[in-house]
Amino acid sequence: MKCDLCSGEYREKRVVRNYKWRGKTVVVADVPALVCDRCGDTLLTEDTVGAIDELLKREAKPQEYAPVYRFPSKVA
């Protein structure tokens, strides 16, 4: 499928998506997506978005934890 933004080609890949959920940042890994090979535009199917919604609603404990760094408000 051709990208509407740059005319590149979409390829099936697994991506990492970040969401704000109930005031916290949640990372969902291995999300199936179509990613443009030129500009990086990412498309998710309606089924994938629904599955992510269900995953977040279940409030299951995360399978992994990662440190979170905040970019400083003043950079020297």
Side-chain angles (χ1 to χ4, degrees):
M1 177 165 76
K2 288 268 187 214
C3 175
D4 289 334
L5 302 175
C6 73
S7 299
E9 284 289 327
Y10 283 102
R11 307 275 185 231
E12 289 184 22
K13 289 189 174 185
R14 296 284 176 155
V15 299
V16 175
R17 302 288 295 195
N18 301 314
Y19 297 94
K20 277 291 203 187
W21 183 256
R22 298 187 177 166
K24 295 184 178 185
T25 300
V26 177
V27 178
V28 181
D30 295 324
V31 177
L34 292 173
V35 180
C36 177
D37 62 3
R38 280 181 73 189
C39 72
D41 185 47
T42 303
L43 302 176
L44 302 179
T45 66
E46 196 173 318
D47 288 342
T48 298
V49 172
I52 292 169
D53 271 348
E54 287 302 314
L55 176 70
L56 296 176
K57 285 178 186 174
R58 279 190 268 140
E59 293 190 56
K61 287 189 176 188
Q63 296 172 348
E64 299 177 40
Y65 294 90
V68 175
Y69 297 90
R70 294 195 189 280
F71 195 80
S73 56
K74 292 185 179 181
V75 179

